[in-house]
Amino acid sequence: MKYFRLVLSQLFAKKTRTILTMLSLLMAFLLFGLLQAVNVAFNRGTSIEGASRIVTQARVSFTSALPLRLLPQIEAVDGIEAVMYQQWFGAYYQEPNRQMVAFAVDPRRLRQVITEWELPSEQWDAFANTRTGMIVGKTLADQYDWKVGDKVPLSSNIWPQSDGNMSWALDVVGIFDSSDPATQPQLAYLNFDYFDEERQFGKGGAGIYVSRLGDPKDAERVSKEIDQMFQNSTDETKSQSEQEFNLNFVRQLGDINLIVSSILGAVFFTILLLTGNTMAQSVRERIPQLAVLKTLGFTDGTVQMLVLAESFVLIGIGALLGMAVATVLGMGMVGFLGGSGSVVNLQVWAYALVSVIVLSLLVGLPPAWRARRLKIVDALAGR
Amino acid sequence: MSETLIQCRALSKTYTRGPEKIEVLQQLDLDIPKGDFVALMGPSGSGKTTLLNLIGGLDNPSSGEIRIGDKRIDQLSSKALAAWRAEHVGFVFQFYNLMPVLTAARNVELPLLLTALSAGDRKRRVEVALKLVGLADRAGHKPNELSGGQEQRVAIARAIVADPTLLVCDEPTGDLDRKTADEILSLLQTLNTELGKTIVMVTHDPKAAEYAKRTLHLDKGQLVDEPGA
Amino acid sequence: MLNQIFAVTALNLRSLGGRLGSSLVIVIGIAGVVGVLTALLAMSKGFESTLGNTGRDDRAIVLRGGSSAELNSGLSSDNVQAIKDTRGESGTLTSSAEMIVITEFASKARGGSFNVTLRAVEQTGFDIRPEFRIVDGRKFEPGLQEVIVGKDALASFEGVSIGSNMRFRGGDWEVVGVFETGDSHDSELWADLATAQTAFGRTGTSSVLVQLESADGFDAFASALKEDPRVNVDVKRERDYYSGQSGQFKRLIGILAGVVGVIMGLGALFAALNTMYAAVSTRTTEIATLRAIGFGSMAVVVSVVAEAVALALLGGVIGAAVSWLLFNGYTASTLGQGFTQVAFEFQVTPDLMLLGLIMALILGFLGGLLPAIRAARLPVTVALRGA
Ligand SMILES: Nc1ncnc2c1ncn2[C@@H]1O[C@H](COP(=O)(O)OP(=O)(O)OP(=O)(O)O)[C@@H](O)[C@H]1O
Ligand SMILES: [Mg+2]
């Protein structure tokens, strides 16, 4: 620790150079933080084990609705506490490009399955008892300034009413929040009974089923059981954990992992060269000073560590600043990718730490080795 | 005379430059008693710096013995030599060799970082050393804010702060004007007489040599009685 | 003036050898930014051109009113009949009613299952698409549960090669051929409309593709349908329909390229500044000497900036070249509007490379300017003293 001041003052001997190098490092790690966050969010390892909810979709694809008549059979599977179904509504508000997530559901079943939605009991009841009722997530309600009691015309780009009208007049009967700060309620639900009666076609199609398990350990068995039940029927199913289902959704956007690692590869190659050059140059200039330290009794090992520490501190400070900025910016991305606080989470910070260590060693070892090997008498004589 | 501090026996140093062998020091014998102040003179290239570096434990001889106090230092590893230097030797160079980014006080503190002293103790010792060289009021200045003479005083403070027995000075006044040189030399003399530091000083300046208790002459790697010849 | 600039530049270039390491920093730094940006934009360009190449001006696609995409659309058999009855100037138009079903297949390269369009077409669907050709195997037989697979789909997904069986809704479908249309349909599977309608329990279709008499016949056809009280539909030129789908992806990549470009660009700028400050400071005395003998400070500024720009351009060229070598023609896929995978090839076009070079030029200019000004501002006496 007593060497720390020495390391710092050596580092800032050439202020312009060090600060510019740090700014480059800051940018590199800012990008690292943001891109890794995207990567982590998209590649979050999920296994069916320990899933508390299971999504059952048509095997063909989730866009094909499973029929409502499967409900009793699914409900009968051992280990399932509650089942709901949800039909994608294809909703937009006023303009076709103002799309939003909305599902037609059975209110009572929704309440039993998605337990994290917080809604006063009387609003749950109002939703169940109002044919044209709709409940709206707080984030979405804030966005359009919707209040309980508002009449909202919601358009669908899929479902016409029986008279061909694509606009559905709905009543906001509740606004729900989430008990889990990680998920922002940015969606709406309408009453399935009303929706099914009024829609022009597709009647009897339930969409996908979501089952809540009593014990997450049962996830794998229950999924298998459901899928086996409908095997070789016209309504073959595919069940997976809710997380896996959601992930598959975003993964289809493209090979995010490849894009991210390509960009970061280019960035780190560049930053390695830049910082390596800075460190090599600064050690080269300080050869006589390092020799003096050795005459004073600093061992070869200590001098080597001092140079390595310098590289570590240089890269560490740059990385810390970059990751800090990334974390702050990442807070704005939470709604988009999910996760709590900032998308630049602990896992991303851990990756950053590993990168800092590897980078420091790559950058610091050559000059540190040079400093270690340097002969006092030669260096003092300028040889 | 009191006990011997530095004892060199059959000391040789050879450099190989390509196929050529340069014998810089040849079978040199030397005794310097504790408390002595020796000036080492000789023509350029005669091996003064080489000898000084050997005595200060900066380099290993090609053959021969060096005994400082009761310790043989000629065969020590670089790590052991470093520890030995930190404890027993202080260095003063022609070009001061201070760390440009550190203040005078921080420069002086450097050797103490290698000891187990607490920050407070280090601070006190630095103050004492700077006071001794007459620079207590410049503790917070960086080297480039000091004159050459002042820089050399800081270097001397750094050399004595860990309280070594031996001071090794390579042309300490080589880059200074007469008046400043005299001040530095008096300071060294005081360190010798008052604090009993043994000093070995290389110089080209006969006036400087007068401050020492005796003068040794080196020529072509060997000690000679009279200069020239 | 020019002589002066040459003199100073020559001086700078001569010392370049000794500063190779730090000069390389500018080159590599800027090569990185230009390479990454070019690759990202090449991706967006490739997607855009794949969709832009899909469809023709003399064909129209008819969807249910307000549905905007085939996936959301649904036309009852009455509607389909009404559309097919719409006449052009010289009689009935050829048309193909088509149904879209989204299916899932495992990717060969990546984990997870991906959405793939299964398009059920009438035999006329082949007639009005002269770009369609079978590259392997044969067409499906009407009435049989047979599928043909687009060449990009074949390359991307498991279990779609000739001879494999696919299971849809409890029934087996055999892959009997591979086709190519040279556009986004190459990522699809095709089957017979009537057979698919039976298997999937549907009577209507998703769209009707109509061969117009000519590209000019579109307006007449569209207004005829609009006036028909039996149907409520949207009509688009087929080419416009597909071109419009690349917008969202373009925006997304645009944002990504913007964020990455700004951050990497700033990083490279700091690197360039670093190099040039160092370059200038090692030559402070030389520059001051020149100025002492009467060279103007403009010559100093210009020569330093010229050096930075030259290095940056070199970096830009390397970056664009590497990006071209690595990515031109690289095949990737993403979600199209139909919520299914569309394969496309990266296109590193000359205009993208030019864009990269312009960016390099700007970065080099900015990176050289500040150090140049500092060098020119430094009083000659100060510079001469402190080397
Ligand atoms: N590492 C080395 N490799 C080769 N030759 C060396 C080396 N170190 C010293 N020498 C040679 O040894 C001789 C003595 O050098 P030294 O530095 O001891 O001389 P000096 O007496 O201190 O001279 P000066 O008065 O100029 O400082 C010189 O000829 C020098 O070139
Ligand atoms: Mg010498």
Short mmCIF file of all heavy atoms in Angstrom, two decimals, chain B residues 48-50 170-171 202 204, ligand 2:
data_model
loop_
_atom_site.label_atom_id
_atom_site.label_comp_id
_atom_site.label_asym_id
_atom_site.label_seq_id
_atom_site.Cartn_x
_atom_site.Cartn_y
_atom_site.Cartn_z
N LYS B 48 37.22 4.03 -12.29
CA LYS B 48 36.76 4.55 -11.00
C LYS B 48 35.30 4.17 -10.74
O LYS B 48 34.96 3.65 -9.67
CB LYS B 48 36.89 6.10 -11.00
CG LYS B 48 38.28 6.60 -11.28
CD LYS B 48 38.35 8.11 -11.25
CE LYS B 48 37.52 8.80 -12.31
NZ LYS B 48 38.01 8.59 -13.69
N THR B 49 34.48 4.45 -11.72
CA THR B 49 33.06 4.14 -11.54
C THR B 49 32.86 2.64 -11.33
O THR B 49 32.06 2.20 -10.50
CB THR B 49 32.25 4.64 -12.75
OG1 THR B 49 32.42 6.04 -12.84
CG2 THR B 49 30.79 4.29 -12.60
N THR B 50 33.64 1.88 -12.09
CA THR B 50 33.54 0.42 -11.97
C THR B 50 33.85 -0.03 -10.55
O THR B 50 33.12 -0.83 -9.94
CB THR B 50 34.51 -0.25 -12.97
OG1 THR B 50 34.26 0.27 -14.27
CG2 THR B 50 34.33 -1.74 -12.96
N ASP B 170 29.67 9.38 -6.84
CA ASP B 170 30.35 9.40 -8.13
C ASP B 170 30.27 10.80 -8.72
O ASP B 170 29.23 11.21 -9.23
CB ASP B 170 29.71 8.37 -9.07
CG ASP B 170 30.63 8.03 -10.24
OD1 ASP B 170 31.66 8.71 -10.41
OD2 ASP B 170 30.30 7.07 -10.99
N GLU B 171 31.39 11.50 -8.65
CA GLU B 171 31.48 12.88 -9.13
C GLU B 171 30.31 13.72 -8.66
O GLU B 171 29.58 14.29 -9.48
CB GLU B 171 31.57 12.90 -10.66
CG GLU B 171 32.76 12.10 -11.18
CD GLU B 171 32.92 12.22 -12.70
OE1 GLU B 171 32.75 13.35 -13.20
OE2 GLU B 171 33.21 11.20 -13.34
N VAL B 202 34.35 9.60 -5.95
CA VAL B 202 35.12 9.74 -7.20
C VAL B 202 35.05 11.19 -7.62
O VAL B 202 34.00 11.82 -7.55
CB VAL B 202 34.51 8.85 -8.30
CG1 VAL B 202 35.08 9.24 -9.66
CG2 VAL B 202 34.79 7.39 -8.00
N HIS B 204 37.10 14.34 -10.38
CA HIS B 204 38.17 14.76 -11.29
C HIS B 204 38.80 16.06 -10.80
O HIS B 204 39.77 16.52 -11.38
CB HIS B 204 37.59 15.01 -12.69
CG HIS B 204 37.35 13.76 -13.46
ND1 HIS B 204 38.37 12.98 -13.93
CD2 HIS B 204 36.19 13.13 -13.84
CE1 HIS B 204 37.87 11.93 -14.57
NE2 HIS B 204 36.54 12.01 -14.52
MG MG D 2 32.95 7.34 -14.08
#
